[in-house]
Amino acid sequence: AVYPAAELVATTLLIPLALASLLSGLALAPLTPWGLFRHWWVALKFVLTSAGVVLALAVLTPALDGAADAAQAGVAVSLADRWVLVRNSGAASIVLVVTLALSVYKPFGRVRRLRLGAGPRSAGAPRVG
């Protein structure tokens, strides 16, 4: 009964909420002082969230589908398949904890922008603009 329930939770809650998290972050990032690529922690969160969504769609959901199908057919799920599910779920949990920690502590500072065409200024030169 556990595997069909887990598969149902993954397809009805995990995937839509993961996509909503990614899309809301993309929509709200330009409206905040942190931006999307102004600070390293925001960029890292974006990369982790994107990877989490892709892995949830490509790895976790198919594994849960297979386990649910096997359980509904009355076939025992192998120990190797169980460990795959534990590993994937554990990795997803670690990614969530890391993104939470990035949001709270905001490490690494700002992303440095390169100024194209701007040569080195002397210390006494007035700034234009």
Side-chain angles (χ1 to χ4, degrees):
V2 171
Y3 294 115
E7 188 261 338
L8 181 66
V9 168
T11 55
T12 58
L13 285 177
L14 176 71
I15 300 301
L17 290 176
L19 289 171
S21 172
L22 180 64
L23 294 175
S24 67
L26 285 173
L28 293 173
L31 304 175
T32 67
W34 297 288
L36 185 59
F37 295 111
R38 289 186 206 144
H39 294 270
W40 285 110
W41 68 271
V42 179
L44 184 57
K45 258 185 83 166
F46 172 67
V47 168
L48 288 173
T49 303
S50 299
V53 169
V54 168
L55 290 174
L57 286 168
V59 177
L60 185 59
T61 304
L64 283 172
D65 289 341
D69 292 342
Q72 288 175 342
V75 177
V77 178
S78 71
L79 185 61
D81 290 339
R82 291 179 189 179
W83 278 111
V84 167
L85 290 172
V86 169
R87 182 194 67 205
N88 294 343
S89 301
S93 298
I94 289 170
V95 168
L96 288 174
V97 169
V98 170
T99 58
L100 174 69
L102 288 171
S103 295
V104 171
Y105 295 110
K106 299 172 180 49
F108 310 126
R110 293 181 63 98
V111 174
R112 290 191 178 120
R113 302 262 182 193
L114 295 176
R115 292 185 182 183
L116 298 177
R121 293 189 310 148
S122 65
R127 187 175 197 167
V128 178

